[in-house]
Amino acid sequence: MPGSGPKPYVLQRKGNIYSCTCSIWRSIDDIEQRRTCKHLRQLRGEKAETGRVGEDGVRKSDEKLKELLEADMRHRQMHAAQDPGASSLGKRPMDTVGQDGAGVKRQHVP
């Protein structure tokens, strides 16, 4: 499944276990049978995926996405405070963030 980066995410099914190579699926602290991400929900449908992992599994996926986005924002604020204006002066490329559901991907903008 395509993401915001150059490599697509790989979704697999082995028996009753569905997996995704995105950072959200990999970072959820639960057994594999109860992990999900937006890519699996898009592929299988909200109802089928909620039925498979339960409301708690969907909630954990949404919380992990929010956690990663907040961590990225704190990281950006910290770097901006340490070196304000560096990006606009051309000292280093500016990051842009794309949410691909599986997490946060960074790409450098020249």
Side-chain angles (χ1 to χ4, degrees):
M1 174 167 285
S4 63
K7 290 185 176 180
Y9 293 113
V10 178
L11 287 77
Q12 294 180 326
R13 177 183 178 193
K14 293 180 182 174
N16 199 25
I17 299 174
Y18 290 82
S19 66
C20 180
T21 56
C22 75
S23 59
I24 299 295
W25 190 90
R26 290 182 287 124
S27 63
I28 293 174
D29 187 26
D30 205 341
I31 61 173
E32 291 178 338
Q33 290 91 332
R34 289 195 297 244
R35 293 182 195 179
T36 191
C37 64
K38 82 173 201 177
H39 307 108
L40 287 168
R41 295 190 323 230
Q42 286 175 350
L43 179 72
R44 301 190 69 237
E46 246 351 282
K47 190 173 182 178
E49 198 60 2
T50 301
R52 185 180 72 83
V53 299
E55 291 288 334
D56 192 47
V58 171
R59 181 187 53 76
K60 285 181 180 182
S61 174
D62 292 343
E63 287 174 356
K64 187 57 73 171
L65 174 61
K66 182 180 177 185
E67 179 184 311
L68 290 175
L69 290 173
E70 288 172 351
D72 185 69
M73 182 59 71
R74 285 190 303 273
H75 176 78
R76 289 170 181 283
Q77 290 170 345
M78 180 182 71
H79 283 286
Q82 289 174 353
D83 195 5
S87 296
S88 63
L89 297 175
K91 292 181 183 175
R92 68 173 182 248
M94 186 175 195
D95 286 339
T96 59
V97 176
Q99 178 183 346
D100 54 18
V104 176
K105 295 267 183 176
R106 291 194 181 121
Q107 62 187 86
H108 291 285
V109 177

